[in-house]
Amino acid sequence: MTLPAYDEAYRASLDDPEAFWGEAAERIDWVRRWDRVLDAEAEPAARWFVGGELNTAHNALDRHADGGRGDQLALVHDSAVTGEVTRFTYAELRAEVASFAGVLAGLGVGKGDRVIIYMPMIPEAAIAMLACARLGAVHSVVFGGFASNELAVRIDDCAPRVIVSASCGVEVARVVEYKPLLDGAIEIAEHKPDHCVVLQRPMARASMVDGRDVDWVEAMAGAEPAGCTTVAATDPLYILYTSGTTGQPKGVVRDNGGHAVALSWSMDHIYGVQPGEVYWAASDVGWVVGHSYIVYGPLIHGCTTVMYEGKPVGTPDAGAFWRVIADHGVVSLFTAPTAFRAIRQRDPDGELMADHDLGTMRSLFLAGERCDPDTLAWAEEKLGVPVVDHWWQTETGWPIAATCLGLEGGGVVPGSPGRAVPGWDLAVLGPDGRELPPGETGAICLRLPLPPSSLPTLWKADQRFVDKYLTAFPGFYETADAGYMDSDGHIFVMARTDDIINVAGHRLSTGALEEVLTAHPDVAEAAVVGVHDPLKGQVPIGFLVLQVGSERTDEEVVADVVGSVRREIGPVAAFKSAVVVGRLPKTRSGKVLRGTIAKIADGNEWRMPATVDDPVIFDEIADVLGDIGLPRPGA
Ligand code: COA
Ligand code: AMP
């Protein structure tokens, strides 16, 4: 198939979105065709393929299993931590998914019911997701690096009938028992699931609660396979929680129809990958990248997807990615820049590549955080294939900007994640809502309506959705990223405009961290800022003001709060440092000057904000940062 060039496709997508996406939708099997491609007037946001009916799992599995790909590998699970590789053909994966759908149905799960999946990177996580899709149930995957409290918040918000989990995950140096975290979360949550299905892994056996907990293997043994339930294109496929500015995460909703169409289109047009080829997103099913490009995108497109349980380094070394590429014949890899920084740190000359045949590899895609040009150049030089930085968010579900390899999208401009992908109408706006000329930094926004697969709302929170995304700039979706565009339309995404920080490609809310810190009885006030880290991009640092009369030492309080973040939010927050200060620098209206603190901590140039209430406080901040090894101003 020849694909139209980028400019032509881009114009077509904006000039006549209904014709553009209507044609793309022919790639999908529909039970009933749509009445309207786009309902731009729908509230709170546009809906796609209204009146259409389909099943996502059918599109990801059955149509391939029955259409000539039954013996092709659908999923290869490669575990660098257990040394095992498990392969499923399309026929085998369909059978597993149908059986697990039968298990869920037997536990009372039906169309529209929610199911939380809290699992490590094992094939059963993908099987559980697809089984929900098969039943028309709504899954909500919770990343394994989150602890009980975060899980409990999600349980209460989406009220699952069933939770699917495993006894443990395996990290580099330790086995992480999931079941005690799950039991703890259920205890904290007000909503109680009817059942938990637990996969017992040999590294740690979970204790089961009689009458509530069901053993995965035993349940599968007697399961009656379930067929595909037809759902509306606009019915939710999943909810994925992502950090907001408070401790209450946002439940991003994804629909079935637009999602299938956009992901299918993206696989060849953006990633340049064809059905039958092997595609690998080295992410986690707990993140949007895992949803879109470990599970749904490659399977809907008829590819073989690789699911990797391991790290870029340490399992066992910085050659792990090269081994996986060579062993499975990967044509395109997608990961976060932090993974490449980790590999480069351990193996700066890429010597470990020489041990593996990387001949199948055609491209590397990076996303999740800004990619520094240095890392991009290193990857390009060592791999000798196009390295594409591309930009997106949990909310959008697929890339907003990229160099579309299937569309002759032009060369990569280092420091930029490329131009707007067809469907996305990008604008950089000033505070007055006017579009800024090329080169000027402002709020990056997307003109409405958003294309298929972008979020139609937040779970049970239409008003929050409108307030957060659609209100600041009427007629636009506010991405909360700031940056600029060059005269050729390349976007440069430089910083968040809210209190979100990005730690090793993981999105964290400083507000949520602050809530944990201020819950400590000796802490009167707290601020968390993200400071530069050469490996993880950013790491959080806490600034604590202690209660008058606190009898504990600074060190004791710091140790307490580091422990409570790990316990309540999870190890993924990588919260290891906090300092005690006399006061927090604030504006006269009482807003904590986090941005200025971050600049000081990063050793960047900073100016005394005109509105600061007490300039001297910054000297103290600089001193305490120096004490924990961070640069002093001007250093
Ligand atoms: N279950 C339980 N714990 C988990 C976990 C999981 N699924 N994932 C991470 N953790 C824990 C880790 O064990 C670590 O704990 P520790 O403090 O005891 O060491 C902590 O959370 C931080 O983990 P991580 O962010 O993975 O950092 P790391 O220092 O172990 O490894 C990198 C650094 C760069 C190798 C790693 O962050 C990485 O591979 N990042 C890529 C991220 C990515 O793919 N993002 C998705 C966007 S595409
Ligand atoms: P998440 O929702 O977890 O995928 O995080 C989305 C956020 O990560 C975006 O809003 C950006 O702030 C950041 N991000 C993702 N990809 C990129 C990229 N390629 N360049 C710069 N920032 C990125």
Side-chain angles (χ1 to χ4, degrees), residues 555-595:
E555 292 72 24
E556 283 170 339
V557 178
V558 165
D560 284 353
V561 297
V562 166
S564 31
V565 170
R566 196 175 169 89
R567 247 186 341 272
E568 292 193 24
I569 294 197
V572 68
F575 183 79
K576 306 240 154 109
S577 311
V579 289
V580 174
V581 291
R583 281 186 51 204
L584 293 174
K586 292 187 188 166
T587 61
R588 286 186 203 102
S589 60
K591 194 170 175 328
V592 176
L593 290 156
R594 292 184 184 76

Side-chain angles (χ1 to χ4, degrees), residues 132 180 595 614:
C132 291
D614 177 8

Side-chain angles (χ1 to χ4, degrees), residues 143-145 171 174 176 178 282-283 287 289 311-312 336 338 367 504-506 536 566 571-572 576:
F143 178 59
E171 285 294 293
R174 66 200 163 101
V176 180
Y178 277 48
S283 178
W287 307 122
V289 175
K311 301 265 174 176
T338 187
H506 310 315
K536 299 195 174 189
R566 196 175 169 89
V572 68
K576 306 240 154 109

